[in-house]
Amino acid sequence: MFRRFILIVISTLFYFILSPTPTFAWDNLNGGDHSGLDWTPSNGSEIAGIQVNIGDFNINSGNIVYVAPASSAYGSVEIRARNIYISGSLDGIGRGGSKTSTSNPVGSAWGGGGGGYGGAGGGGFGGSACNATGGVSYGTIDNFDIDQGSDGGKGSSGGVVGGKGGAKIILIASQTITILGSIENNGTMSGNGYGGGGSGGGIYLQAPQIIQSGTIEAKGGDSDGNGGGGAGGRIKYFYNSLSETGSESVAGGQKWPGEWTCRGEDGTVTKVPDYTAPDAFHTISGTLGNNSWYTTTVNVALAAEDLESGVKSIEYWIDGGIHQTIPYSTGRNLIDNPSFENNDGLGGINSWSKVIGGVATFSQTNDAVKFGSFAVKILSSASGWNSFDTNALQAPYLIAGKAYTVSGWVKRDNLSGNGAQIRVLSTDGTLIASTISLAGTGDWVRVSKSFSPSVSGIYLVEVGLEGGGTVWWDGANLYEGIDEPSFNFVVSLNGQHQVHYLATNNENLKSSVKDSEVFKIDTISPANWRNFTLTRPPGANDHTLIASITVDDTTSGLDPASAYFQYIVRSYPTFGYYSNLESCSSTWIPNDASRSPNIDGPYDLQSGWKPATVNPNTPGANTVTITTPRIDFCDDEWADLKKIRFMIKDMAGNTSTREFAINAPWLQTSGGDVHSEVGINMQTSSGNNASFVVSAPVITNFISSNNWLVSPYSGLAFLDYSYWSNKMNPSKNLVGGKLPQTAGSGTYLVNSDYIIDQNTHPSSSASFTAVVFINGDLYINNDFSVNANSAIVFVVKKDVKVRKQVRNMVGVYFADGKINTSYNGSGEDQLTVKGSMAAKAGFDLNRGSTEENGSTSSEFIQYQPTYLMNSDLAKLFSTSNYIWQEVVP
């Protein structure tokens, strides 16, 4: 719990430092916000609590400032400032001791044990030497937690408590901590001959630069008699730059002065060159439609970088959803000065040297920066290789056979030749590894390469440019391991979303929470066309009609300016319209698929589409009714080639069309089952269209070459979503929101609508077996296929909706709702399904045909024998072996 608190404090540091106005009042003992003002406590004063948003914190030379003792409910102080200067003394000696749960031992016989913290406390002296139990060690060596020391135990014969533990002292600066005087945070000696000594306290220093030329102590207290010595405390430094000419001590206390029996153990000193949280980044990609709506699923790529200890994990969540954590195995950066922040004052950059292979200028710059305050820049006008190389004395030593990854961030301007690249060389100049080369112009991008040296030794890292142009480099990194700290996933749910994410490094420092831009997804074209009506205007002839239709779009809403219609008459059996809608002797304008209705002004006169009236005429309305003007269909022969087609877009730009005609589409099966609980009725068909089983209560216009039509069907009851969900209990999520990409088998659960498109379709190369439960609607927006040895089954709670542009798909589909083969209008392409379909609420066969009532079916369902013979699929659906029953009636 305490460790978690410390991490939260660290992550909010910059908020407090940069806050321009006070958030709450402060005082010496209870902490608070200093509003950016300097603070110099007076000599002899006591301080405590969490003191934040300080300008410069000073303890002047000759002054002593004390931590308020734990006996008055304090015992700790936390200072967060721009700079911290201690020229005098910060004194926490014996001011802690509130830690009693594991380390306030009670001695037996005469002597109490010493308090524990950074080590174990010494045992007290009783009937035999050191037979009382000392306090145990607690806390960690190298994490960010810190604590108070513990009191020593009292002797059973003396009745007087032992020494007091040291305080908890946390000093955090955004710029520099300078110690010229002292920080004394020792445990104290027991007050008589029987008690144990108190343990040293905790001291935590965090800043980009720490200058320590004074004295820092967290020593254990001695016992002045038969008690045990207190353990030393813990001192922790977290920094980028440490200059240390002073001293520190965490020595354990003695039994009594000059005697080393029954002494406390020494504490710990930790120095970690990483006080900086990692950084995290994101990119979003997808097909952007109108009005900033994405019309496909959105791919989100997350990446993190830590130039010191390495990235441990990336955590993300969508909107207010469940947090997902992706772990990584990356080691500490082996490159000194990786962000080129430090220079030698003479034009050079610490730990780096120039390699000049042509006419070039080299500089440390702040005109383009990815990390920290500086990057390096190379401006070249020649074709040679120019680079910054790690100096041989600071270059990393790599071990043969181990895997490493080198990476860096590069920005380019008009690069010619081979372009920008990172290279790894042995000291004799042999090229060991190199990243891809990037030419041209581009913003910051990360390049990387994993490799394994065959010989142990020193290796040089070069960041450079071969050719002309300007290149910037920042964030050079070389770490053990091949993990790339990046991850991508798909957001497919329609609506407005935002991704939140953060990274954690190997020192358990977390980045601030970052937010993606808000993005909107609408992958579903307008649908639910309904209420088609034809009305004859008063006084009109019997073939002059007004048509209307209602349509929905529940996500981005409908665009009334995109509503059009066209029609077919006997004289012109292709879609279009007469220039005068009420005159069949006017010019016929046929449909031109190469033209959009709204290219030239209000609409393109030659597109073959005519604007319709929309009610309500409000952009973004979820439901509208489209109405045509008066149309003369020229004659009364309604049984032959009269159709009308509507078109409308949603605000994202997804188009939907719907046509109504006398000649309806028809479905064909080959070697596979089609089943409906409510009947299968087609208005037309052509020849033998069912070579396998078609079952339903009522079947109309199916002709089977094998006479395998089952109606009325009285087989097994429809096994719906609830049945299979309860039986199989799916719980696994789709990795990254995508259908299976690797070999294996399993059942998966999607607790929402799901969209299959180019971002989510399954692998067509991996062999897998999967049953995917969709607790919503399943939308199929793109063609997809699977390996011949794969099997995929979808169990859908609501409807299966296929986009009219889809021509080929695979799988077995069970839907509690309907299966709609062209949900966004009347498609003219044949749909081929390699698998099988069953729909409890029936089928909507909305595909038309370019060959009116011809030999090509609108839907063709072709069964795949692999679904009968796949043993993995049998195991997923049942724990028993195969059961064969009811082949044909």
Side-chain angles (χ1 to χ4, degrees):
M1 179 64 72
F2 185 81
R3 178 179 175 187
R4 180 176 296 175
F5 170 72
I6 288 293
L7 288 173
I8 293 171
V9 166
I10 292 169
S11 70
T12 56
L13 164 64
F14 293 103
Y15 165 77
F16 288 112
I17 290 177
L18 299 177
S19 178
T21 56
T23 57
F24 51 90
W26 67 273
D27 58 48
N28 278 24
L29 298 180
N30 294 309
D33 190 323
H34 290 244
S35 304
L37 300 177
D38 295 346
W39 184 26
T40 304
S42 59
N43 184 36
S45 61
E46 290 186 340
I47 61 175
I50 300 175
Q51 309 280 354
V52 302
N53 199 11
I54 303 167
D56 288 347
F57 176 83
N58 298 279
I59 298 179
N60 291 334
S61 178
N63 288 352
I64 301 177
V65 174
Y66 297 94
V67 179
S71 58
S72 57
Y74 298 111
S76 65
V77 66
E78 186 167 330
I79 302 294
R80 292 182 244 172
R82 181 176 58 245
N83 293 290
I84 296 173
Y85 302 99
I86 299 178
S87 299
S89 179
L90 178 58
D91 190 330
I93 298 173
R95 303 249 163 179
S98 64
K99 183 80 174 180
T100 59
S101 60
T102 61
S103 49
N104 190 12
V106 176
S108 60
W110 297 335
Y117 178 28
F125 178 80
S128 60
C130 309
N131 71 337
T133 302
V136 300
S137 173
Y138 53 93
T140 65
I141 294 175
D142 55 2
N143 287 335
F144 291 87
D145 59 324
I146 211 78
D147 213 329
Q148 297 180 20
S150 294
D151 295 346
K154 66 181 180 178
S156 61
S157 300
V160 179
V161 297
K164 299 293 293 182
K168 178 175 75 173
I169 297 173
I170 298 173
L171 304 179
I172 299 174
S174 61
Q175 295 181 9
T176 303
I177 295 175
T178 303
I179 310 297
L180 302 176
S182 65
I183 302 175
E184 298 182 66
N185 199 21
N186 305 322
T188 61
M189 181 183 290
S190 59
N192 58 46
Y194 302 101
S199 64
I203 301 172
Y204 177 98
L205 307 177
Q206 175 189 306
Q209 183 178 38
I210 298 177
I211 300 171
Q212 208 294 78
S213 58
T215 300
I216 300 179
E217 294 182 345
K219 299 188 295 186
D222 295 335
S223 169
D224 66 353
N226 292 330
R234 297 191 190 276
I235 301 173
K236 299 184 179 184
Y237 300 80
F238 291 87
Y239 57 90
N240 270 355
S241 173
L242 174 62
S243 173
E244 189 175 23
T245 58
S247 64
E248 70 259 325
S249 177
V250 287
Q254 304 173 40
K255 173 175 168 279
W256 60 57
E259 186 172 330
W260 286 84
T261 58
C262 308
R263 68 184 297 271
E265 291 180 344
D266 291 345
T268 61
V269 178
T270 303
K271 297 175 183 178
V272 179
D274 182 0
Y275 87 100
T276 308
D279 208 348
F281 320 91
H282 79 276
T283 57
I284 287 177
S285 59
T287 302
L288 198 58
N290 299 334
N291 302 301
S292 300
W293 286 87
Y294 285 94
T295 56
T296 62
T297 57
V298 167
N299 190 75
V300 181
L302 301 180
E305 189 76 83
D306 189 273
L307 298 178
E308 294 157 343
S309 65
V311 175
K312 181 179 180 180
S313 65
I314 297 175
E315 180 181 349
Y316 75 93
W317 60 101
I318 305 169
D319 304 323
I322 298 173
H323 291 226
Q324 304 286 337
T325 299
I326 312 302
Y328 297 97
S329 178
T330 63
R332 180 173 294 279
N333 193 357
L334 302 176
I335 296 175
D336 289 338
N337 195 19
S339 186
F340 312 102
E341 300 299 305
N342 303 317
N343 61 60
D344 60 10
L346 301 173
I349 299 170
N350 290 353
S351 304
W352 297 87
S353 58
K354 304 169 187 175
V355 172
I356 302 174
V359 180
T361 59
F362 299 75
S363 61
Q364 182 189 47
T365 182
N366 60 6
D367 60 2
V369 173
K370 184 66 177 177
F371 302 98
S373 300
F374 296 101
V376 288
K377 179 179 180 180
I378 303 173
L379 173 60
S380 173
S381 58
S383 59
W385 172 255
N386 299 283
S387 65
F388 284 93
D389 287 19
T390 50
N391 292 336
L393 293 177
Q394 285 83 31
Y397 185 92
L398 306 183
I399 299 173
K402 286 196 172 184
Y404 297 90
T405 298
V406 66
S407 69
W409 291 79
V410 61
K411 178 181 171 72
R412 298 157 287 140
D413 182 23
N414 197 29
L415 300 191
S416 61
N418 288 331
Q421 188 179 53
I422 301 177
R423 299 177 178 177
V424 180
L425 309 176
S426 61
T427 53
D428 65 3
T430 303
L431 179 65
I432 304 301
S434 60
T435 66
I436 60 171
S437 295
L438 297 176
T441 298
D443 204 356
W444 290 106
V445 63
R446 184 177 187 266
V447 293
S448 66
K449 178 68 175 181
S450 296
F451 66 98
S452 181
S454 58
V455 178
S456 297
I458 294 173
Y459 288 84
L460 306 179
V461 175
E462 300 181 328
V463 293
L465 163 66
E466 187 172 22
T470 305
V471 66
W472 293 261
W473 286 100
D474 206 349
N477 204 340
L478 175 63
Y479 57 85
E480 184 179 337
I482 60 173
D483 261 4
E484 290 282 352
S486 61
F487 178 72
N488 71 83
F489 59 92
V490 172
V491 180
S492 59
L493 189 63
N494 282 321
Q496 180 172 292
H497 304 290
Q498 189 173 34
V499 175
H500 315 280
Y501 60 98
L502 59 89
T504 302
N505 67 15
N506 286 314
E507 300 295 349
N508 289 320
L509 269 176
K510 295 180 181 293
S511 70
S512 60
V513 175
K514 293 195 170 184
D515 303 315
S516 73
E517 60 270 33
V518 175
F519 55 93
K520 303 179 294 182
I521 300 176
D522 186 355
T523 62
I524 310 303
S525 300
N528 196 22
W529 296 87
R530 64 194 186 281
N531 301 334
F532 175 67
T533 59
L534 291 169
T535 58
R536 182 178 296 113
N541 60 43
D542 58 3
H543 42 79
T544 295
L545 303 170
I546 295 172
S548 65
I549 188 73
T550 299
V551 63
D552 295 338
D553 189 273
T554 59
T555 306
S556 62
L558 294 153
D559 179 4
S562 66
Y564 298 91
F565 69 94
Q566 54 186 197
Y567 55 93
I568 287 175
V569 296
R570 183 179 180 84
S571 300
Y572 293 99
T574 59
F575 281 102
Y577 67 93
Y578 280 110
S579 58
N580 181 344
L581 296 176
E582 294 192 66
S583 173
C584 295
S585 61
S586 61
T587 302
W588 179 258
I589 302 173
N591 178 68
D592 185 345
S594 67
R595 306 173 74 102
S596 171
N598 54 357
I599 291 178
D600 305 321
Y603 67 95
D604 184 352
L605 296 173
Q606 301 304 313
S607 68
W609 290 92
K610 189 75 172 174
T613 301
V614 179
N615 184 33
N617 190 28
T618 305
N622 295 124
T623 300
V624 302
T625 297
I626 304 171
T627 304
T628 68
R630 296 158 55 115
I631 303 172
D632 190 343
F633 286 90
C634 303
D635 58 51
D636 293 335
E637 298 296 330
W638 296 110
D640 191 16
L641 289 176
K642 283 189 176 65
K643 292 183 180 181
I644 187 165
R645 177 189 282 168
F646 296 91
M647 173 198 292
I648 195 168
K649 294 182 179 181
D650 59 25
M651 298 302 292
N654 296 301
T655 302
S656 182
T657 62
R658 183 65 184 267
E659 65 186 58
F660 295 87
I662 300 300
N663 289 353
W666 54 279
L667 175 145
Q668 180 182 11
T669 71
S670 174
D673 297 335
V674 174
H675 173 75
S676 171
E677 287 286 284
V678 295
I680 299 176
N681 180 20
M682 295 190 302
Q683 296 181 31
T684 186
S685 67
S686 178
N688 292 325
N689 55 6
S691 66
F692 210 62
V693 178
V694 175
S695 58
V698 178
I699 299 175
T700 305
N701 272 325
F702 270 103
I703 303 171
S704 172
S705 58
N706 298 316
N707 196 29
W708 285 358
L709 303 179
V710 187
S711 176
Y713 182 62
S714 58
L716 297 175
F718 190 91
L719 302 180
D720 58 13
Y721 181 94
S722 296
Y723 172 86
W724 290 116
S725 179
N726 291 333
K727 180 180 179 64
M728 302 175 73
N729 192 27
S731 59
K732 288 199 299 186
N733 294 322
L734 293 171
V735 177
K738 303 176 183 180
L739 292 171
Q741 305 295 310
T742 57
S745 64
T747 59
Y748 303 89
L749 174 63
V750 177
N751 250 326
S752 64
D753 294 348
Y754 189 72
I755 298 162
I756 300 176
D757 66 5
Q758 72 271 23
N759 288 329
T760 61
H761 62 66
S763 169
S764 60
S765 58
S767 296
F768 62 85
T769 300
V771 181
V772 184
F773 285 79
I774 310 293
N775 191 16
D777 291 322
L778 171 61
Y779 291 89
I780 302 170
N781 287 352
N782 280 77
D783 288 12
F784 71 99
S785 61
V786 297
N787 182 283
N789 296 318
S790 294
I792 188 164
V793 177
F794 297 92
V795 184
V796 183
K797 178 68 173 177
K798 295 182 180 178
D799 296 340
V800 175
K801 301 181 180 183
V802 184
R803 199 179 186 94
K804 69 179 182 180
Q805 290 85 358
V806 175
R807 302 183 66 180
N808 295 283
M809 51 189 276
V810 297
V812 173
Y813 298 82
F814 297 100
D816 282 14
K818 288 186 176 182
I819 294 179
N820 189 325
T821 61
S822 186
Y823 76 86
N824 60 323
S826 303
E828 293 183 349
D829 292 325
Q830 183 188 57
L831 172 65
T832 298
V833 182
K834 292 187 175 181
S836 188
M837 292 182 157
K840 190 172 185 178
F843 288 77
D844 282 339
L845 306 178
N846 289 326
R847 301 231 167 188
S849 177
T850 56
E851 300 179 66
E852 299 297 335
N853 202 22
S855 59
T856 302
S857 63
S858 300
E859 291 89 0
F860 180 47
I861 300 173
Q862 187 176 28
Y863 193 70
Q864 303 298 295
T866 184
Y867 288 95
L868 283 180
M869 306 307 297
N870 189 301
S871 60
D872 288 334
L873 192 62
K875 291 175 184 177
L876 291 177
F877 273 95
S878 175
T879 57
S880 62
N881 295 322
Y882 287 105
I883 298 176
W884 298 79
Q885 63 184 51
E886 193 185 6
V887 187
V888 289

Coordinates of all heavy atoms in Angstrom, one line a residue, residues 398-443:
L398 N 28.8 -6.0 -25.0 CA 27.8 -7.0 -25.3 C 28.3 -8.4 -25.2 O 29.5 -8.6 -25.5 CB 27.2 -6.7 -26.7 CG 26.7 -5.3 -27.0 CD1 26.1 -5.3 -28.4 CD2 25.7 -4.8 -25.9
I399 N 27.4 -9.3 -24.8 CA 27.8 -10.7 -24.5 C 27.4 -11.6 -25.7 O 26.2 -11.5 -26.2 CB 27.2 -11.2 -23.2 CG1 27.7 -10.3 -22.1 CG2 27.5 -12.6 -23.0 CD1 27.0 -10.6 -20.7
A400 N 28.3 -12.4 -26.2 CA 28.0 -13.3 -27.3 C 26.8 -14.2 -27.0 O 26.6 -14.7 -25.9 CB 29.2 -14.1 -27.6
G401 N 25.9 -14.3 -28.0 CA 24.8 -15.2 -27.9 C 23.5 -14.6 -27.3 O 22.4 -15.1 -27.4
K402 N 23.7 -13.4 -26.7 CA 22.5 -12.8 -26.1 C 21.8 -11.9 -27.2 O 22.5 -11.4 -28.1 CB 22.9 -11.9 -24.9 CG 23.2 -12.7 -23.7 CD 23.2 -11.8 -22.4 CE 23.3 -12.7 -21.1 NZ 23.2 -11.8 -19.9
A403 N 20.5 -11.8 -27.0 CA 19.8 -10.9 -28.0 C 19.7 -9.5 -27.5 O 19.5 -9.3 -26.3 CB 18.4 -11.5 -28.2
Y404 N 19.9 -8.6 -28.4 CA 19.8 -7.1 -28.1 C 19.0 -6.4 -29.2 O 18.8 -6.9 -30.3 CB 21.2 -6.5 -28.1 CG 22.1 -7.1 -27.0 CD1 23.0 -8.2 -27.3 CD2 22.2 -6.5 -25.8 CE1 23.8 -8.7 -26.3 CE2 23.1 -7.0 -24.8 CZ 23.9 -8.1 -25.1 OH 24.7 -8.6 -24.1
T405 N 18.4 -5.3 -28.8 CA 17.7 -4.4 -29.7 C 18.3 -3.0 -29.7 O 18.4 -2.5 -28.6 CB 16.2 -4.4 -29.4 OG1 15.7 -5.7 -29.5 CG2 15.4 -3.5 -30.4
V406 N 18.6 -2.5 -30.9 CA 19.0 -1.1 -31.0 C 17.9 -0.3 -31.6 O 17.2 -0.8 -32.5 CB 20.3 -1.0 -31.8 CG1 20.1 -1.4 -33.2 CG2 20.9 0.4 -31.7
S407 N 17.7 0.9 -31.1 CA 16.6 1.7 -31.7 C 16.9 3.2 -31.5 O 17.8 3.6 -30.8 CB 15.3 1.4 -31.0 OG 15.3 1.8 -29.6
G408 N 16.1 4.0 -32.2 CA 16.3 5.5 -32.1 C 15.1 6.2 -32.8 O 14.4 5.5 -33.6
W409 N 15.0 7.4 -32.6 CA 13.9 8.2 -33.2 C 14.6 9.2 -34.2 O 15.5 9.9 -33.9 CB 13.1 9.0 -32.2 CG 12.3 8.1 -31.3 CD1 12.7 7.3 -30.3 CD2 10.9 7.8 -31.5 NE1 11.7 6.6 -29.8 CE2 10.5 6.9 -30.5 CE3 9.9 8.3 -32.3 CZ2 9.2 6.4 -30.3 CZ3 8.6 7.8 -32.2 CH2 8.3 6.9 -31.2
V410 N 14.0 9.3 -35.4 CA 14.6 10.1 -36.5 C 13.5 11.0 -37.1 O 12.4 10.6 -37.3 CB 15.3 9.1 -37.5 CG1 14.3 8.2 -38.2 CG2 16.0 10.0 -38.6
K411 N 14.0 12.2 -37.5 CA 13.1 13.1 -38.2 C 13.9 13.5 -39.5 O 15.1 13.7 -39.4 CB 12.8 14.3 -37.4 CG 12.0 15.4 -38.0 CD 11.8 16.6 -37.0 CE 11.2 17.8 -37.7 NZ 9.8 17.6 -38.1
R412 N 13.3 13.6 -40.6 CA 14.0 13.8 -41.9 C 13.4 15.0 -42.7 O 12.3 15.3 -42.6 CB 13.8 12.5 -42.8 CG 14.4 11.3 -42.2 CD 13.7 10.0 -42.8 NE 12.3 9.9 -42.3 CZ 11.3 9.5 -43.0 NH1 11.4 9.3 -44.3 NH2 10.1 9.3 -42.5
D413 N 14.4 15.6 -43.4 CA 14.0 16.7 -44.3 C 14.8 16.5 -45.6 O 16.0 16.8 -45.6 CB 14.3 18.1 -43.7 CG 13.8 19.2 -44.5 OD1 13.0 19.0 -45.4 OD2 14.4 20.3 -44.4
N414 N 14.1 16.1 -46.6 CA 14.6 16.1 -48.0 C 15.9 15.2 -48.1 O 16.9 15.6 -48.6 CB 14.9 17.5 -48.5 CG 15.1 17.5 -50.0 OD1 14.5 16.7 -50.7 ND2 15.9 18.5 -50.5
L415 N 15.8 14.0 -47.5 CA 17.0 13.1 -47.6 C 17.1 12.4 -48.9 O 16.1 11.9 -49.5 CB 16.9 12.0 -46.5 CG 16.8 12.5 -45.0 CD1 17.0 11.3 -44.1 CD2 17.8 13.6 -44.7
S416 N 18.3 12.4 -49.5 CA 18.6 11.7 -50.7 C 19.6 10.6 -50.4 O 20.1 10.4 -49.3 CB 19.2 12.7 -51.7 OG 20.4 13.2 -51.2
G417 N 19.9 9.8 -51.4 CA 20.8 8.7 -51.2 C 20.2 7.6 -50.4 O 18.9 7.4 -50.4
N418 N 21.0 6.9 -49.6 CA 20.4 5.8 -48.8 C 19.6 6.3 -47.6 O 18.8 5.6 -47.0 CB 21.6 4.9 -48.3 CG 22.1 4.0 -49.4 OD1 21.4 3.7 -50.4 ND2 23.4 3.7 -49.4
G419 N 19.9 7.5 -47.2 CA 19.1 8.1 -46.1 C 19.6 7.8 -44.7 O 20.8 7.5 -44.5
A420 N 18.7 7.9 -43.7 CA 19.0 7.8 -42.3 C 19.0 6.4 -41.8 O 18.1 5.6 -42.3 CB 18.1 8.7 -41.5
Q421 N 19.9 6.0 -40.9 CA 20.0 4.6 -40.5 C 20.8 4.6 -39.1 O 21.6 5.5 -38.9 CB 20.8 3.8 -41.5 CG 20.8 2.3 -41.3 CD 21.6 1.6 -42.4 OE1 22.7 1.9 -42.7 NE2 20.9 0.6 -43.0
I422 N 20.5 3.6 -38.3 CA 21.3 3.2 -37.2 C 22.1 2.0 -37.5 O 21.6 1.0 -38.1 CB 20.5 3.0 -35.9 CG1 19.6 4.2 -35.6 CG2 21.3 2.6 -34.7 CD1 18.7 3.9 -34.4
R423 N 23.4 2.0 -37.1 CA 24.3 0.9 -37.4 C 25.0 0.5 -36.1 O 25.3 1.4 -35.2 CB 25.4 1.3 -38.4 CG 24.8 1.6 -39.8 CD 25.8 2.1 -40.8 NE 25.3 2.4 -42.1 CZ 26.0 2.8 -43.1 NH1 27.3 3.0 -43.0 NH2 25.4 3.1 -44.3
V424 N 25.2 -0.8 -36.0 CA 26.0 -1.3 -34.8 C 27.3 -1.9 -35.4 O 27.2 -2.8 -36.3 CB 25.3 -2.4 -34.0 CG1 26.1 -2.9 -32.9 CG2 23.9 -1.8 -33.5
L425 N 28.5 -1.5 -34.9 CA 29.8 -1.9 -35.4 C 30.6 -2.5 -34.3 O 30.5 -2.1 -33.2 CB 30.5 -0.8 -36.1 CG 29.8 0.1 -37.1 CD1 30.7 1.3 -37.5 CD2 29.4 -0.7 -38.3
S426 N 31.4 -3.5 -34.7 CA 32.5 -3.9 -33.8 C 33.6 -2.9 -33.8 O 33.6 -2.0 -34.7 CB 33.0 -5.3 -34.2 OG 33.6 -5.2 -35.5
T427 N 34.5 -2.9 -32.9 CA 35.6 -1.9 -32.8 C 36.5 -1.9 -34.0 O 37.2 -0.9 -34.3 CB 36.4 -2.1 -31.5 OG1 36.9 -3.4 -31.4 CG2 35.5 -1.8 -30.3
D428 N 36.5 -3.0 -34.8 CA 37.4 -3.0 -36.0 C 36.6 -2.5 -37.2 O 37.1 -2.6 -38.3 CB 37.9 -4.4 -36.2 CG 36.9 -5.5 -36.5 OD1 35.7 -5.1 -36.6 OD2 37.2 -6.6 -36.7
G429 N 35.4 -2.0 -37.0 CA 34.6 -1.5 -38.1 C 33.7 -2.4 -38.8 O 33.0 -2.0 -39.8
T430 N 33.6 -3.7 -38.4 CA 32.7 -4.7 -39.0 C 31.3 -4.3 -38.7 O 30.9 -4.1 -37.5 CB 33.0 -6.1 -38.5 OG1 34.4 -6.4 -38.8 CG2 32.1 -7.1 -39.2
L431 N 30.4 -4.3 -39.7 CA 29.0 -4.0 -39.5 C 28.3 -5.2 -38.9 O 28.4 -6.3 -39.5 CB 28.3 -3.6 -40.8 CG 26.8 -3.3 -40.8 CD1 26.6 -2.1 -39.9 CD2 26.3 -3.1 -42.2
I432 N 27.7 -5.1 -37.8 CA 27.0 -6.2 -37.1 C 25.5 -6.2 -37.3 O 24.9 -7.2 -37.6 CB 27.3 -6.1 -35.6 CG1 28.8 -6.1 -35.3 CG2 26.6 -7.3 -34.9 CD1 29.5 -7.3 -35.8
A433 N 24.9 -5.0 -37.3 CA 23.5 -4.9 -37.5 C 23.1 -3.5 -38.0 O 23.9 -2.5 -37.7 CB 22.7 -5.2 -36.2
S434 N 22.0 -3.3 -38.7 CA 21.6 -2.0 -39.1 C 20.1 -2.0 -39.2 O 19.4 -3.0 -39.6 CB 22.2 -1.6 -40.4 OG 21.9 -2.5 -41.5
T435 N 19.5 -0.8 -39.0 CA 18.0 -0.6 -39.2 C 17.7 -0.4 -40.6 O 18.7 -0.3 -41.5 CB 17.5 0.5 -38.3 OG1 18.1 1.7 -38.8 CG2 17.9 0.4 -36.9
I436 N 16.5 -0.3 -41.0 CA 16.1 0.1 -42.3 C 16.6 1.5 -42.6 O 16.8 2.3 -41.6 CB 14.6 0.0 -42.5 CG1 13.9 1.0 -41.6 CG2 14.1 -1.4 -42.4 CD1 12.4 1.1 -41.9
S437 N 16.8 1.9 -43.9 CA 17.2 3.2 -44.2 C 16.0 4.0 -44.6 O 15.1 3.5 -45.4 CB 18.2 3.2 -45.4 OG 19.4 2.6 -45.0
L438 N 15.9 5.2 -44.2 CA 14.8 6.1 -44.5 C 15.2 7.3 -45.2 O 16.1 8.0 -44.8 CB 14.0 6.5 -43.2 CG 13.4 5.4 -42.4 CD1 12.8 6.0 -41.1 CD2 12.3 4.7 -43.2
A439 N 14.7 7.6 -46.4 CA 15.0 8.8 -47.2 C 13.8 9.7 -47.2 O 12.8 9.4 -46.5 CB 15.4 8.4 -48.6
G440 N 13.8 10.8 -48.0 CA 12.7 11.7 -48.1 C 12.5 12.5 -46.9 O 13.4 12.9 -46.2
T441 N 11.2 12.9 -46.6 CA 10.9 13.8 -45.6 C 9.8 13.1 -44.7 O 8.9 12.5 -45.2 CB 10.3 15.1 -46.1 OG1 11.3 15.8 -46.9 CG2 9.8 16.1 -45.0
G442 N 10.0 13.3 -43.4 CA 9.0 12.7 -42.5 C 9.2 13.1 -41.0 O 10.3 13.5 -40.7
D443 N 8.1 13.1 -40.3 CA 8.2 13.5 -38.9 C 8.8 12.4 -38.1 O 9.2 11.3 -38.6 CB 6.8 13.8 -38.3 CG 6.8 14.8 -37.1 OD1 7.9 15.1 -36.7 OD2 5.8 15.2 -36.7

